[in-house]
């Protein structure tokens, strides 16, 4: 089964490190993995021109082409975002909006896939849960099955406290536990529903 992870930070640092850990663990469990990172990429906002509804493709030519291809092929989707202004990053918000074009092509394109959320905040309670809720809401709108790690420590997904530093996030044992729990459920759901 294929898992596609999106690193929605504008740089490859703490969120990238966490997503990479997640994908490596899934690879060890025999999943095929692919990562898209927003660093240096050209992703423009949706203009609500409705070209996609009439022509069944997005009018904007940019790096979303890669995201579209990988979302189509994926069985599981991981949205990994730094917390920005108390929610998901602007990169992730743009990617979410732009997938409207996928459903203009085929309404069922994303439905039935399994999704999990990773949120990395510089502060201990900087809005990780709001970021998760934004990703989970996105999953629900698009018929993607949202998973969490369950009620004992990773209620909405994998939550990290980076203290704005790669050297610190590596020591976030609680964050790693929440990642492990969420990955176990993600794998269970993929095996059960896909
Ligand atoms: C524009 C901006 C807004 C941010 N807002 C928040 C916030 O609301 N809450 C929080 O905990 N951290 C916030 N941070 C800190 C980042 O979430 C944190 O440094 C994170 O580890 C960055 O991930 P990255 O290393 O993958 O880029 C913000 C950072 C930036 C650049």
């Amino acid at each position: 089964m294929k898992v596609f992870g999106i690193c929605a930070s504008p740089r490859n640092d703490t969120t990238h490190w966490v997503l990479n850990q997640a994908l490596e663990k899934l690879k060890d469990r025999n999943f095929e993995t692919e990562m898209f990172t927003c660093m240096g990429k050209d992703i423009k906002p949706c203009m609500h021109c409705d070209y996609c509804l009439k022509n069944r493709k997005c009018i904007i030519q940019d790096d979303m082409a890669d995201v579209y291809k990988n979302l189509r092929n994926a069985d599981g989707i991981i949205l990994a975002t730094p917390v920005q202004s108390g929610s998901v990053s602007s990169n992730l918000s743009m990617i979410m909006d732009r997938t409207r074009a996928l459903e203009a092509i085929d309404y069922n394109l994303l439905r039935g896939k399994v999704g999990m959320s990773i949120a990395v905040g510089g502060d201990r309670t900087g809005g990780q849960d709001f970021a998760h809720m934004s990703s989970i809401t996105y999953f629900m709108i698009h018929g993607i099955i949202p998973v969490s790690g369950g009620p004992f420590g990773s209620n909405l997904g994998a939550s990290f406290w980076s203290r704005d530093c790669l050297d610190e996030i590596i020591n976030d044992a609680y964050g790693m536990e929440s990642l492990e729990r969420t990955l176990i459920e993600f794998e269970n759901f993929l095996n059960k529903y896909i």
Side-chain angles (χ1 to χ4, degrees):
M1 271 183 284
K2 289 180 188 155
V3 172
F4 177 47
I6 296 177
C7 173
S9 171
R11 58 185 195 170
N12 285 347
D13 201 61
T14 58
T15 311
H16 183 266
W17 182 82
V18 174
L19 179 58
N20 198 45
Q21 293 285 312
L23 295 179
E24 285 300 315
K25 286 171 193 289
L26 288 166
K27 243 191 251 174
D28 290 345
R29 299 170 197 172
N30 293 324
F31 287 89
E32 253 182 71
T33 65
E34 187 69 43
M35 191 200 295
F36 177 87
T37 169
C38 291
M39 182 178 163
K41 299 284 166 47
D42 175 25
I43 307 237
K44 297 185 183 71
C46 172
M47 300 184 290
H48 201 170
C49 64
D50 285 343
Y51 179 91
C52 62
L53 300 183
K54 291 171 201 126
N55 300 281
R56 294 160 66 87
K57 62 176 182 184
C58 183
I59 195 168
I60 305 169
Q61 306 280 310
D62 62 8
D63 289 316
M64 268 305 285
D66 200 9
V67 178
Y68 289 143
K69 186 191 80 191
N70 281 296
L71 282 175
R72 274 171 176 274
N73 293 338
D75 301 297
I77 297 163
I78 303 180
L79 299 182
T81 185
V83 182
Q84 289 192 345
S85 304
S87 189
V88 297
S89 69
S90 45
N91 283 309
L92 186 52
S93 184
M94 280 193 285
I95 288 174
M96 286 171 169
D97 287 348
R98 292 281 302 283
T99 60
R100 186 174 190 250
L102 275 185
E103 275 148 343
I105 297 166
D106 175 357
Y107 184 73
N108 291 314
L109 226 146
L110 295 171
R111 300 180 85 75
K113 297 179 190 288
V114 177
M116 68 168 261
S117 168
I118 295 172
V120 179
D123 299 325
R124 183 73 195 92
T125 53
Q128 285 86 340
D129 278 358
F130 280 108
H132 285 315
M133 282 313 295
S134 182
S135 291
I136 290 167
T137 303
Y138 172 81
F139 290 147
M140 289 180 70
I141 289 169
H142 297 273
I144 298 165
I145 304 162
V147 301
S148 78
F152 301 107
S154 48
N155 305 45
L156 297 175
S159 305
F160 281 81
W161 178 19
S162 72
R163 300 176 196 243
D164 300 319
C165 176
L166 192 54
D167 290 340
E168 292 291 343
I169 199 168
I170 288 166
N171 298 318
D172 183 10
Y174 191 85
M176 283 310 286
E177 265 178 52
S178 78
L179 178 65
E180 270 301 344
R181 288 201 187 97
T182 311
L183 282 175
I184 288 167
E185 281 298 90
F186 187 58
E187 190 179 356
N188 286 342
F189 272 66
L190 279 165
N191 286 326
K192 190 163 177 190
Y193 295 111
I194 304 293

